[in-house]
């Protein structure tokens, strides 16, 4: 794929989220931008997730997650959860959603979700999520993926 198409893909608007996952005593969270609402009734979201991520295994086995909406001033949080590092969850005051998945209290809002099903999408999988609860936590403008530059290293991931 030409560099031009990679640049054009950056014009597709996305927000930036921290997705919190849990299976029994294990929790994790990762930064995600490929997320959208896909149904009104029931309210459903679709999340594109790389099956290599540590969080994928917990989502598959625990079958729940939270989607925490990041504010424009939370670039350091997006960067932190955008890496696969040990003890990633330490230093944040996590709360527990109804499903048991971890909520990031400093986010703007969160959605608590049950996993409905996965479907394949090239090198990612689409997790279709049923929203079972949601809450506003504070006001402020939400972060846009276009503001994160190449934080996710995606410029390397397009085929030549
Ligand atoms: C701004 C940004 C957006 C990202 N969007 C996604 C995404 O939509 N889907 C995905 O699978 N990974 C996405 N990532 C990459 C993951 O956050 C990253 O690979 C993370 O280390 C995975 O963590 P884990 O292995 O602990 O689950 C994004 C990273 C950043 C910085």
């Amino acid at each position: 794929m030409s560099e031009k198409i990679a640049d054009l893909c950056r014009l597709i608007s996305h927000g930036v989220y921290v997705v919190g996952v849990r299976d029994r005593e294990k929790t994790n969270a990762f930064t995600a931008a490929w997320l959208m609402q896909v149904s009104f009734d029931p309210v459903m979201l679709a999340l594109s997730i790389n099956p290599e991520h540590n969080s994928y295994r917990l989502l598959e086995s625990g079958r729940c997650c939270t989607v925490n909406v990041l504010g424009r001033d939370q670039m350091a949080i997006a960067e932190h959860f955008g890496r696969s590092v040990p003890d990633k969850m330490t230093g944040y005051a996590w709360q527990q959603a109804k499903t048991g998945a971890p909520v990031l209290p400093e986010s703007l809002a969160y959605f608590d979700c049950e996993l409905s099903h996965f479907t394949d999408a090239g090198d990612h999988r689409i997790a279709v999520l049923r929203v079972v609860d949601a809450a506003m936590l504070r006001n402020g403008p939400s972060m846009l993926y276009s503001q994160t530059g190449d934080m996710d290293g995606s410029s390397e991931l397009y085929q030549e």
Side-chain angles (χ1 to χ4, degrees), residues 16-18 29 66-78 80-81 88-96 102-111 135-143:
V16 182
Y17 312 91
V18 170
T66 56
V67 173
N68 300 272
V69 182
L70 289 186
R72 213 159 281 185
D73 55 347
Q74 294 183 308
M75 212 54 88
I77 296 181
H80 176 79
F81 290 102
K88 208 178 180 181
M89 303 297 277
T90 310
Y92 293 86
W94 298 100
Q95 291 174 3
Q96 214 176 84
V103 173
L104 187 68
E106 50 267 77
S107 60
L108 296 183
Y110 75 89
F111 298 87
M136 189 79 191
L137 300 177
R138 67 180 176 95
N139 290 314
S142 47
M143 188 185 294

Side-chain angles (χ1 to χ4, degrees), residues 29-79:
F30 75 104
T31 304
W34 287 356
L35 182 128
M36 65 188 288
Q37 183 177 351
V38 291
S39 167
F40 287 124
D41 186 17
V43 178
M44 294 181 113
L45 307 177
L47 163 71
S48 181
I49 177 169
N50 184 332
E52 306 280 310
H53 290 348
N54 295 323
S55 302
Y56 177 82
R57 284 187 285 280
L58 291 186
L59 177 59
E60 191 180 35
S61 52
R63 302 196 69 81
C64 65
C65 69
T66 56
V67 173
N68 300 272
V69 182
L70 289 186
R72 213 159 281 185
D73 55 347
Q74 294 183 308
M75 212 54 88
I77 296 181
E79 202 160 2

Side-chain angles (χ1 to χ4, degrees), residues 18-30 47 49 54-68 96-103 111-118 127-133:
V18 170
V19 176
V21 290
R22 160 174 239 118
D23 182 29
R24 284 158 286 187
E25 77 287 356
K26 285 193 188 154
T27 59
N28 199 35
F30 75 104
L47 163 71
I49 177 169
N54 295 323
S55 302
Y56 177 82
R57 284 187 285 280
L58 291 186
L59 177 59
E60 191 180 35
S61 52
R63 302 196 69 81
C64 65
C65 69
T66 56
V67 173
N68 300 272
Q96 214 176 84
K98 285 183 181 161
T99 58
V103 173
F111 298 87
D112 186 20
C113 306
E114 288 172 354
L115 174 67
S116 167
H117 59 279
F118 283 112
V128 180
L129 308 169
R130 197 179 312 102
V131 175
V132 296
D133 194 21

Side-chain angles (χ1 to χ4, degrees), residues 1 5-6 8-19 30-38 45-51 53 59 67 121-129 144-146 148 152-155 157-158:
M1 197 178 282
I5 291 180
L8 293 176
C9 284
R10 293 200 161 271
L11 297 178
I12 299 172
S13 299
H14 300 280
V16 182
Y17 312 91
V18 170
V19 176
F30 75 104
T31 304
W34 287 356
L35 182 128
M36 65 188 288
Q37 183 177 351
V38 291
L45 307 177
L47 163 71
S48 181
I49 177 169
N50 184 332
H53 290 348
L59 177 59
V67 173
D123 56 9
H124 278 53
R125 300 204 82 203
I126 309 295
V128 180
L129 308 169
L144 298 176
Y145 178 57
S146 55
T148 65
D152 59 359
S154 58
S155 57
L157 301 178
Y158 289 89

